[in-house]
Amino acid sequence: MNYDPELAALLSQPWSEGACRGYVISAMERCGFKPADIEQVMLELHEVFDYTTPEEAQVYYERSPY
């Protein structure tokens, strides 16, 4: 396997479920979502983290219309 400096830089960045949740909450607040809607998404996100690998989530994102 060849060394890829761009990939190495990405992999060295800290990642956590908490950071991801913070991004989602921030985006939803900026879009004007109601607190009850944000709470519902956070509950669903908890389930998604439990049953979806990061690789599966990446594929889902790449195939989404967003």
Side-chain angles (χ1 to χ4, degrees):
M1 181 174 184
N2 294 333
Y3 177 76
D4 182 341
E6 185 176 337
L7 179 59
L10 286 172
L11 292 174
S12 69
Q13 295 179 9
W15 184 90
S16 70
E17 289 182 15
C20 182
R21 290 176 194 276
Y23 282 123
V24 173
I25 292 168
S26 178
M28 292 183 76
E29 287 177 342
R30 290 178 184 201
C31 290
F33 282 82
K34 296 177 185 175
D37 294 331
I38 296 172
E39 185 174 342
Q40 183 178 358
V41 169
M42 290 297 103
L43 290 171
E44 187 61 30
L45 193 57
H46 180 76
E47 293 289 320
V48 171
F49 279 140
D50 285 347
Y51 298 106
T52 308
T53 67
E55 294 79 14
E56 291 169 332
Q58 179 70 32
V59 169
Y60 192 87
Y61 169 69
E62 290 170 356
R63 292 182 179 168
S64 77
Y66 312 106

